[in-house]
Amino acid sequence: MSLTVTELTIARGGMPVLAGVSFALSAGQAMILRGPNGIGKTTLLRTVAGLQPALSGSIEGGEDQIAYAAHSDGLKAMLSVRENLTFWAQVFGQSDISQALSAFNLVELSERLAGTLSAGQKRRLGLARLLVTGRPIWVLDEPTVSLDTASVEMFGAAVRAHLAGGGMALIATHIDLGLPDATVLDVAPYIAPLDVATGSSDEAFL
């Protein structure tokens, strides 16, 4: 199992932002994306996850293997914590949510309506969905938003367990997640030159 990105050129709002991005991940590996706000990290993650098309280049190994988490928690407010996780487990053909509840300290909150949770609790529930997908590649955009220090450590532990089980993670973050073996990819060298051809626009995906 691997994820290989080759000479990828991506656009935001029809304008090229990054060009020639290449990297590879294999089982047990994590990669941290770095770069200033607005440089194109989110666009890169969305493209790798298949949510918008690339202008050129290729992505191999990600088909039906990626679980994507961005800024939205993706919760149903009138369902309980347990019901939310059960719903997402069923979407991905899974059934066991016990590990997700435990890993993100949600057991005692399992019968609470998601809409009544604090911002941090909602974020933990949103991230817990990763564990019920059964998918080996996690593509994560600033996953620690709204998390306190203890919850960041909790999330880092979940990522480490995922990697130890042969999973992979591609993460845009400025927070130390306790992943000493992770590769860091600075996307600044890949800023697209002004003369990159745009081809078809990605505006329908914004």
Side-chain angles (χ1 to χ4, degrees), residues 21-35:
V21 180
S22 297
F23 62 84
L25 280 176
S26 57
Q29 290 187 324
M31 176 173 285
I32 306 298
L33 298 183
R34 291 280 164 77

Side-chain angles (χ1 to χ4, degrees), residues 1-203:
M1 171 64 66
S2 63
L3 174 68
T4 303
V5 171
T6 305
E7 293 294 320
L8 200 67
T9 297
I10 59 175
R12 180 176 59 233
M15 296 295 294
V17 288
L18 299 175
V21 180
S22 297
F23 62 84
L25 280 176
S26 57
Q29 290 187 324
M31 176 173 285
I32 306 298
L33 298 183
R34 291 280 164 77
N37 292 338
I39 199 171
K41 299 187 299 295
T42 293
T43 304
L44 176 58
L45 293 175
R46 286 175 54 83
T47 304
V48 170
L51 299 177
Q52 65 184 66
L55 294 181
S56 63
S58 64
I59 303 167
E60 299 179 358
E63 300 84 358
D64 299 322
Q65 300 297 312
I66 291 176
Y68 175 73
H71 303 284
S72 172
D73 296 319
L75 306 178
K76 296 183 179 296
M78 297 309 296
L79 294 184
S80 69
V81 167
R82 182 181 303 278
E83 289 168 335
N84 268 279
L85 287 177
T86 298
F87 170 82
W88 285 108
Q90 292 174 345
V91 166
F92 288 94
Q94 308 293 315
S95 59
D96 185 11
I97 67 168
S98 59
Q99 182 185 2
L101 287 170
S102 176
F104 285 91
N105 196 23
L106 294 169
V107 174
E108 294 184 0
L109 298 173
S110 62
E111 304 308 323
R112 285 268 302 272
L113 293 181
T116 68
L117 300 176
S118 70
Q121 290 168 339
K122 288 177 181 177
R123 191 59 174 167
R124 278 162 38 209
L125 176 54
L127 292 171
R129 294 181 304 152
L130 293 165
L131 276 66
V132 304
T133 65
R135 295 196 166 183
I137 305 173
W138 291 359
V139 175
L140 311 174
D141 189 5
E142 300 292 349
T144 59
V145 172
S146 298
L147 295 184
D148 59 20
T149 300
S151 296
V152 169
E153 294 175 355
M154 193 182 305
F155 172 67
V159 175
R160 291 192 294 273
H162 179 65
L163 300 177
M168 291 167 273
L170 178 63
I171 312 171
T173 183
H174 297 285
I175 302 297
D176 182 3
L177 297 176
L179 305 173
D181 297 326
T183 301
V184 176
L185 178 65
D186 183 356
V187 300
Y190 299 101
I191 293 176
L194 296 177
D195 58 352
V196 171
T198 60
S200 59
S201 172
D202 67 333
E203 290 183 4

